[in-house]
Amino acid sequence: MTNLPPPAEELRVLDAELRQLDLRRAVLLRRRAWLVHTLRATAVRQRAEAPWAPPEGWPPGPGAGAAARRPEAGAPSVQNVLLVLGGVLLTIAAIAFTLVSWGHLGIAGRALVLGALTVAALGAPVALLRRGLRSTAEAVAALGTALTVLDAYALHEVAFTGTDGIGYTAAASAVLAALWAAYGMRLGLWHPLPLAVASAHLPLLLAAIAADAGPHTLTAVLLATAAGGTAVALRATSAPVPVRVVAVVGALGAGAAGVLAAGWLCWSASDPGSAARAAALLVVAAALALTAGRFVPNREVAVGLAAAAGLFLVAGTGGVLRVSVPGEWTVPGCLACAIALLAAERTPLAQPLRQGLVRAAAAVQGFAVLWALPLVVGCVLGPAARAATPWSGAPRTVRDAVFTDVPPPPYASTVPLVLAVVTATLVVAGRRTARRTAVLVVALVLGWAAVFVLPAALQLPYTVGLVAQAAVVVAALGLAVRSVRADEGPSPLALTALLLALVTSVDLALLSLASESATIGVLAALTVLFGAAGRRPGAAAFTAPAALGHATALACAIGASAGFAPHHTALLVLVVPSAAALIASRSGGSPATVPVEGAGAAAGLLALALAVQEPPTLALVLSLCGVLVAASALRPERRAAGWAAAALFLLATWVRLAAWDVGTPEAYTLPVTGAALVVGFLRRRRDTAVSSWTAYGAGLAATLVPSLLAAWDDQHWPRPLLLGAAALAVTLVGARQRLQAPLVLGAGALALVALHELAPYLTQVVGALPRWAPPALAGLLLLVLGATYEHRLRDARRLREALGRLR
């Protein structure tokens, strides 16, 4: 740990450093200003001493600007371009002469011309090198090497016309490679050596093709060519870079082609003998890769070559096994070979080679897990199809229960073995790695998958499969409970075990839907099991909600088994929210409280969904849910749940009234108004600053507004009379208590009721008046209003101020 100074001391040090930086910046700025001034003065002096130059746009004189213009290409570049172009043109001319003008000369003339040109082109670099003209020597030597190819072609056309073209090309390429290599090494020229190396890759392959060799022989020739190129690349450490590049590219190309051909021959063989011969070629390729990796200087390249060697060995083994053993044992055999590669850790091989072989083994294990993945996914998702046809009859085997609509993956019987072997390998490897926890988590998942798919892979009977899946749940849950710590929470290993237990339990519950008795028995066992595991505080956040979920499914199953209607089953489901509320009240604010309450809320929603088709039962379910929520609101940290309880009670009341065909709006609104007024009154008692609109406005409007709308179309007198009496009472209470909301709402409602009652009489009066009376009355009213406008405005301001003083 670094010892940090006290804050005061650190602040003093920082202030001192900042002062030093400011001083240094000031010095640098002064130096910069001096340098700028000096440069400007020098530029001015140079312009004053410079001769006169014509303004911009004047035509330049002879030689003007020649000194300032720089060449765009250097002399060496120009020289190389000229030499290369000259060599190319001479080569083209020689090719044209050989192909086009060859027939115009006799045999002696042909030999004399080509021989003279070749000797001259190959001999001229000797004199040029003595004079130090290396570039020119390289260009002329390149022409000479091109002429040797033409000589070989001419020799075939004159002396060896009856020989096979491919065989002659193989021999010519070998001779030319040797000639170019000796010529380049003797004179020290750089371009003949890469050409020699490139040409040396052709003789063996062309000779094998000319001899009509089989695919195994051609593959061996490719690997031999790759071995030669690898040897050249490793030994020619002092050779020019182009030589090594050509050797590496040729070795990689020939080696890749050989390995692909050997792999195809091995995995497409129809008998063990052919597969074994191809596998031997892959072993040769692996040995070649390991040898190259031993001498290559780059560590990463060595690791890659060793990994490729390991994959070659596994591929050869798999190809032989494919035609020697049943198909389901091919992948386990490859996996066994990969496990054997791990023994390289105890061999005297170099560390990069051992690391590469281990990586190859890990890659093969990953491929094996991917091969097993379809069966695992099918076993996890397949039982979900049973939800569409529950209790349709128990199948014969677990595989029939899992794969009902789709065929199972082929070669599934060895999947558990593959997963178990990979799991054991990871457990052993996890002891010696720094990422032990991550490795053990992966091993736990793979081990679970191995045991999980075992019943389907072995086609165990349906009942035995259910017992096996239940054992998996018990094992995973037991491991999680034993690994969890209440004070630290679940570790990654314990959390993984909990999730695996939950997944397995859901899959087991879905799998049991094939039989009625199995469904009830499995759900009851899962409820008890997860409920017992929920007693551990560290795991309760996962196990307690799971127990409640299984209990909800059990309640539905019991209701369906007893022949209950869905709305009657909803009352049975309400047992789960009751248990959840009881558990949450006793959890004391632990991490499991919120998940338990969430599971209880989900069960309550399910009960509401089941009872929605029967309004009387729905009202009862809403009331019971309101009771449970109100009980939760008694806890100090859940006071806000009281609003939800009130809403549930209100909904229950409305549903009950609707079931009774009650159409009076006051029956629905008065409970809301009463509750809202009580809440507002209690709130104003606690906080006198709360306005009357906040406390009573919503409650009063909830009844007054719907009643006014109903009374406006009501042709009878009881509703307007009662509404007017209620509005008068509200107005009087608002006036006495000096409350703005009751006063305004009550007065407004009373005025509208009075207007509603006087409307018929006003209509009769208007109908009895002559037609000129309404305009005359309107004009008179306007005159009166205009005469007393100012006084009325003052009265209106006083009324507004009076209302504003109310609370």
Side-chain angles (χ1 to χ4, degrees), residues 408-668:
Y411 308 134
S413 59
T414 56
V415 169
L417 176 62
V418 170
L419 294 174
V421 171
V422 177
T423 301
T425 305
L426 288 176
V427 171
V428 174
R431 300 175 180 176
R432 296 176 295 175
T433 181
R435 295 174 290 183
R436 183 172 182 272
T437 302
V439 173
L440 290 180
V441 167
V442 176
L444 177 60
V445 174
L446 293 179
W448 164 82
V451 181
F452 183 75
V453 302
L454 186 61
L458 300 182
Q459 301 188 32
L460 296 178
Y462 176 71
T463 306
V464 178
L466 292 181
V467 175
Q469 297 287 49
V472 174
V473 177
V474 172
L477 199 57
L479 176 62
V481 171
R482 292 184 59 184
S483 303
V484 73
R485 294 182 179 179
D487 53 347
E488 297 180 2
S491 63
L493 193 64
L495 182 60
T496 304
L498 282 171
L499 295 178
L500 293 178
L502 292 174
V503 171
T504 311
S505 66
V506 173
D507 189 81
L508 177 59
L510 292 173
L511 195 63
S512 67
L513 290 176
S515 172
E516 179 179 348
S517 58
T519 302
I520 296 177
V522 166
L523 291 176
L526 291 176
T527 302
V528 173
L529 179 62
F530 280 94
R535 297 176 63 87
R536 291 294 298 269
F542 298 91
T543 56
L548 293 174
H550 291 305
T552 303
L554 177 61
C556 295
I558 292 175
S561 177
F564 292 165
H567 60 278
H568 292 154
T569 304
L571 299 176
L572 191 60
V573 172
L574 284 180
V575 176
V576 178
S578 305
L582 180 61
I583 295 172
S585 64
R586 294 178 176 273
S587 60
S590 67
T593 303
V594 175
V596 166
E597 291 176 341
L605 291 176
L606 178 61
L608 292 175
L610 292 174
V612 72
Q613 294 182 355
E614 290 292 330
T617 308
L618 178 60
L620 178 59
V621 172
L622 285 170
S623 301
L624 295 177
C625 290
V627 172
L628 295 176
V629 176
S632 299
L634 296 177
R635 291 153 43 199
E637 68 275 11
R638 292 292 183 266
R639 295 298 188 195
W643 296 99
L648 289 173
F649 285 130
L650 179 61
L651 288 175
T653 304
W654 286 355
V655 171
R656 183 70 265 182
L657 292 173
W660 287 338
D661 295 330
V662 176
T664 304
E666 288 80 7
Y668 297 89

Side-chain angles (χ1 to χ4, degrees), residues 18-33:
L18 291 173
R19 285 195 295 271
Q20 292 295 332
L21 290 175
D22 291 338
L23 292 175
R24 180 62 178 166
R25 186 173 185 275
V27 172
L28 293 176
L29 288 175
R30 288 197 297 271
R31 178 65 178 173
R32 180 182 182 281

Side-chain angles (χ1 to χ4, degrees), residues 233-234 237 244 292-302 305 352:
L234 294 176
T237 55
R244 298 197 299 272
R294 179 182 178 184
F295 296 102
V296 73
N298 190 301
R299 175 184 174 85
E300 294 299 327
V301 175
L305 289 172

